[in-house]
């Protein structure tokens, strides 16, 4: 069984300040972990993914995430928020075996103030 | 290249009616997924196709929901006797092979409203 918990439903930051979106997972196997972003009225888009290579993963638009097995975490960070980062962010876990059905977190809404 | 497309973008229907939602995946992608997303929630898995066959339909909420992918490309999600609780955004995604490391490519969704 697998699950993912996004610890904050909303995160509010000022433009130019760092962003931290938290994600914890539970998995019986070595997981693949993803962050997707959903802008209003747009489809979900992959930001980055971890698939058992380097634990620090860099994605698009300056985002990165670090896989920490000991903490079962995969937090998403960005050094400096931009207004265009305002969106809904989803953490996703998928494991080998079975039918590889990804499990989505409930999402974190990132609000960026000018 | 073309991404995943879904039609219609919006569908309004009356309680008890039948609806069909269509998904055109990226050409060559063998895996296709349907999800349902309610307001303020993450996508909820419905069904997964590997080629023409439904590899996992454990997320379908009841027997009013059915999906097909007869030629391993386009898929149709069918909902019979719609209920107000079926109102949601229905998302389709495809991926190259369906393994756990695959990136999923999502369509824009179909917003279903049942009056």
């Amino acid at each position: 069984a697998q699950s993912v918990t996004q610890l904050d439903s909303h995160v509010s930051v000022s433009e130019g300040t760092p962003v931290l979106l938290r994600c914890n997972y539970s998995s019986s196997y070595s997981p693949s972990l993803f962050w997707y972003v959903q802008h209003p009225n747009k489809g979900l888009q992959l930001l980055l993914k971890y698939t058992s290579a380097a634990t620090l993963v860099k994605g698009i638009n300056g985002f990165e995430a670090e896989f920490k097995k000991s903490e079962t975490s995969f937090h998403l960070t960005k050094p400096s928020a931009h207004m265009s980062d305002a969106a809904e962010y989803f953490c996703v876990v998928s494991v080998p075996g079975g039918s590889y059905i990804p499990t989505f977190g409930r999402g974190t809404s990132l609000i960026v103030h000018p | 290249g073309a991404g995943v497309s879904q039609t219609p973008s919006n569908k309004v229907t009356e309680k008890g009616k039948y609806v069909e939602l269509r998904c055109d995946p990226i050409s060559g992608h063998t895996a296709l997924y349907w999800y349902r997303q309610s307001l303020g929630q993450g996508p909820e898995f419905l069904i997964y196709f590997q080629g023409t066959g439904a590899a996992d339909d454990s997320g379908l909420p009841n027997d009013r929901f059915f999906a097909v992918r007869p030629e391993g490309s386009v898929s149709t999600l069918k909902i019979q006797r719609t209920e107000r609780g079926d109102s949601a955004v229905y998302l389709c995604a495809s991926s190259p092979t369906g393994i756990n490391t695959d990136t999923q490519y999502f369509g824009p969704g179909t917003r279903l409203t049942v009056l």
Side-chain angles (χ1 to χ4, degrees):
Chain A
Q2 66 208 42
S3 66
V4 62
T5 302
Q6 292 184 244
L7 296 159
D8 306 292
S9 58
H10 296 83
V11 169
S12 182
V13 301
S14 296
E15 190 174 22
T17 64
V19 175
L20 170 64
L21 304 184
R22 297 182 295 166
C23 172
N24 285 96
Y25 70 92
S26 173
S27 170
S28 304
Y29 302 94
S30 295
S32 293
L33 292 156
F34 307 77
W35 278 98
Y36 285 85
V37 61
Q38 187 175 38
H39 287 93
N41 300 316
K42 296 273 183 73
L44 284 146
Q45 179 186 15
L46 180 73
L47 269 180
L48 50 79
K49 67 178 179 181
Y50 165 78
T51 59
S52 78
T55 56
L56 181 62
V57 182
K58 294 187 185 298
I60 61 172
N61 300 334
F63 284 94
E64 62 181 39
E66 187 171 7
F67 172 69
K68 293 187 176 181
K69 185 175 180 179
S70 62
E71 299 176 9
T72 62
S73 69
F74 190 59
H75 301 333
L76 182 70
T77 60
K78 183 174 180 178
S80 176
H82 192 273
M83 295 296 292
S84 61
D85 294 328
E88 192 80 16
Y89 292 80
F90 294 96
C91 183
V92 182
V93 63
S94 183
V95 299
S99 54
Y100 314 124
I101 303 304
T103 300
F104 280 73
R106 62 180 298 165
T108 298
S109 178
L110 177 64
I111 301 159
V112 183
H113 298 286
Chain B
V4 178
S5 62
Q6 293 185 246
T7 54
S9 55
N10 280 283
K11 176 71 177 177
V12 180
T13 191
E14 294 180 341
K15 180 176 179 296
K17 299 290 189 182
Y18 168 82
V19 297
E20 289 189 352
L21 312 179
R22 177 186 167 108
C23 172
D24 280 88
I26 292 173
S27 178
H29 281 193
T30 62
L32 185 146
Y33 304 78
W34 282 99
Y35 296 88
R36 179 168 68 176
Q37 187 176 22
S38 301
L39 196 62
Q41 301 294 321
E44 173 193 16
F45 167 74
L46 295 177
I47 186 169
Y48 157 61
F49 287 90
Q50 184 59 253
T52 60
D56 190 323
D57 64 358
S58 62
L60 294 177
N62 51 60
D63 61 6
R64 295 187 298 106
F65 288 75
F66 188 71
V68 295
R69 194 186 185 199
E71 297 178 359
S73 179
V74 170
S75 176
T76 305
L77 178 65
K78 308 180 182 196
I79 310 174
Q80 298 178 319
R81 304 183 304 279
T82 52
E83 300 178 355
R84 293 193 179 89
D86 299 335
S87 295
V89 176
Y90 289 81
L91 298 172
C92 175
S94 69
S95 71
T97 63
I99 62 172
N100 65 300
T101 55
D102 263 5
T103 297
Q104 291 194 314
Y105 296 85
F106 284 83
T110 294
R111 182 176 300 278
L112 176 65
T113 304
V114 181
L115 301 177

